[in-house]
Amino acid sequence: EDLATAEANLRQAREQASATAGAQGPKVDAGYQAERTRISGALSPPLADNVSYLYTLHTAQVTVAYPLDLFGAGRNAVRSARAAADVAGQRLEAARIAAVANLVVAAIQHAALDAQVAATEKAIADNRALVAMLERRRALGDVGLAEVTAQQTVLANVEATLPALERQRDHQAGLILSLLGRPAGSPLPALPGMEELRLPADLPLSLPSDIVAHRPDVRAAEAQMRGAAADVGAAIAARLPAITLSGNAGGSATRFLDMFASGNPFFALIGGVTQPIFHSGELRHRQRAAEAALAAAKAQYRAAALQAFLDVDDALSGLRTDAAALDAATRADDAAGRTLAMTRRQMELGAVGTLALLNASSAASQASVQRIQATAARLTDTVALFQACGTPVGAR
């Protein structure tokens, strides 16, 4: 919906720019008028026959008007309108980049939540197996009821986290459908899993400062500043003389076919100069308002550039820290998996107690989830880097 609105706004701005440009050119109009009149006999009619009081008058004419834009009022109006169209175009590009980035992030989050659901379901299955094993050992007298109930508590706690994860995953599925322009609840397209998502081969550690100039929001702010400068020029020109040239030519007669007969054609050439003298301060205040708008546009352009630098710096910083976090989470997950396998085997042999197994199981479950979250964070921050640079996700 946002993209459709932005596209409509762009079409509107372009048509308005074309209309403004057309208003600065010559205008040619053709007209025809037929008038049926009856006059009083006490008046002298404008006809050769003084006893004719009822007549029809046909008039046809062509009018040409052309404003001479000596001081740039029209040219600045066109520049302002074209700058507005440029702003709309850049906002459309920003909306496209944001839509693609949001869709990719939603797909990443959906894959991460799906992986967390799978990891939680595996943890539930493992804990159920442990509960069953402890119940068998309790029946043999190897462990007491406290060990069984402790493991049942762990199982219940893990089971309690599953509904929330499934709800979040369903929300991401609805968000993906919404971003695709489909109603929530529709069938999802084929989505990648976490194992199918890959980072770009090369990610930069730093970027040149001029890369922010390519961001659509920065370009839109620049175009808005150009338009405001043009508005100042138009406001100044409005206080200077305005020159117009116009003319018309045609014919008038009581019979349609005689409009252009000898003596009936007419023409007029008109040149005019208008110099504003006193407008109760209106033109002066309009100029000052335009100058204030230009100052605001400059400030917005500076703010957009600073925000762009901040976004890029945040994205690069996130990628640096994400790499360290993902490496640590991967090592922790691998180690926790090995520890749980060894602890389970030792418990089966009676070498360790249930407390060691409970701790190993909890650590393994937590490490698996943290690894998934760290991977998702690094993928999401990669998308943020593309967006911060004003580049569509996946572009090179």
Side-chain angles (χ1 to χ4, degrees):
E1 183 177 351
D2 291 338
L3 283 177
T5 302
E7 288 175 351
N9 290 337
L10 176 58
R11 291 196 303 271
Q12 179 186 12
R14 285 176 173 173
E15 294 300 330
Q16 288 176 341
S18 298
T20 302
Q24 310 310 314
K27 301 176 181 63
V28 180
D29 298 309
Y32 167 74
Q33 178 179 333
E35 178 183 353
R36 183 70 170 170
T37 304
R38 180 181 178 87
I39 65 172
S40 171
L43 301 176
S44 176
L47 301 172
D49 187 358
N50 290 335
V51 297
S52 177
Y53 305 120
L54 181 64
Y55 63 93
T56 299
L57 186 63
H58 299 270
T59 303
Q61 67 176 356
V62 175
T63 303
V64 180
Y66 182 65
L68 294 181
D69 190 22
L70 296 182
F71 300 104
R75 292 191 297 275
N76 282 299
V78 173
R79 292 191 187 106
S80 178
R82 287 175 177 169
D86 194 8
V87 170
Q90 295 302 329
R91 287 176 177 170
L92 172 59
E93 182 63 20
R96 285 173 175 164
I97 292 175
V100 173
N102 291 337
L103 180 58
V104 173
V105 169
I108 292 171
Q109 294 300 322
H110 182 274
L113 289 166
D114 198 43
Q116 290 181 60
V117 167
T120 303
E121 290 175 341
K122 181 178 182 302
I124 290 173
D126 291 343
N127 279 282
R128 285 175 178 170
L130 290 175
V131 169
M133 181 186 68
L134 289 172
E135 287 177 342
R136 288 194 301 270
R137 293 189 62 184
R138 178 173 175 268
L140 297 174
D142 291 342
V143 297
L145 180 61
E147 285 83 354
V148 176
T149 56
Q151 185 60 42
Q152 288 174 337
T153 301
V154 173
L155 172 61
N157 289 334
V158 176
E159 289 175 334
T161 63
L162 184 59
L165 290 172
E166 291 176 333
R167 181 178 179 180
Q168 294 176 38
R169 182 183 61 182
D170 292 342
H171 172 74
Q172 290 298 321
L175 179 59
I176 290 171
L177 290 170
S178 178
L179 290 170
L180 292 174
R182 304 177 187 175
S186 301
L188 273 174
L191 296 175
M194 285 298 292
E195 67 282 355
E196 299 175 79
L197 296 174
R198 295 289 183 271
L199 290 169
D202 298 314
L203 287 174
L205 299 178
S206 62
L207 291 168
S209 60
D210 60 352
I211 196 170
V212 299
H214 299 289
R215 281 179 42 139
D217 58 337
V218 175
R219 289 184 174 180
E222 180 188 3
Q224 195 164 3
M225 185 173 61
R226 292 199 312 268
D231 290 338
V232 172
I236 294 173
R239 304 178 65 181
L240 301 174
I243 301 175
T244 57
L245 297 177
S246 63
N248 59 73
S252 181
T254 57
R255 295 174 56 191
F256 182 83
L257 297 178
D258 292 340
M259 283 189 296
F260 298 101
S262 177
N264 292 332
F266 62 85
F267 72 89
L269 296 176
I270 304 170
V273 178
T274 303
Q275 170 61 59
I277 301 298
F278 180 71
H279 284 230
S280 299
E282 175 193 1
L283 300 180
R284 181 176 68 255
H285 290 300
R286 288 187 182 277
Q287 179 182 340
R288 291 177 180 174
E291 291 169 347
L294 176 58
K298 290 179 179 178
Q300 290 174 357
Y301 178 62
R302 186 174 186 275
L306 291 175
Q307 184 63 47
F309 282 117
L310 177 60
D311 292 343
V312 173
D313 184 70
D314 285 346
L316 291 174
S317 176
L319 287 175
R320 286 192 294 269
T321 56
D322 288 343
L326 179 58
D327 178 66
T330 301
R331 288 186 282 107
D333 186 32
D334 294 339
R338 291 193 298 270
T339 300
L340 177 60
M342 290 186 294
T343 304
R344 182 184 289 113
R345 181 59 180 164
Q346 288 174 343
M347 184 175 178
E348 291 173 351
L349 298 174
V352 297
T354 56
L355 180 60
L357 182 60
L358 292 176
N359 291 335
S361 176
S362 177
S365 177
Q366 185 176 4
S368 177
V369 171
Q370 287 179 342
R371 180 176 184 175
I372 295 170
Q373 292 174 343
T375 303
R378 184 156 170 78
L379 290 167
T380 300
D381 284 339
T382 302
V383 175
L385 177 62
F386 277 95
Q387 189 173 7
C389 295
T391 305
V393 178
R396 296 184 180 273

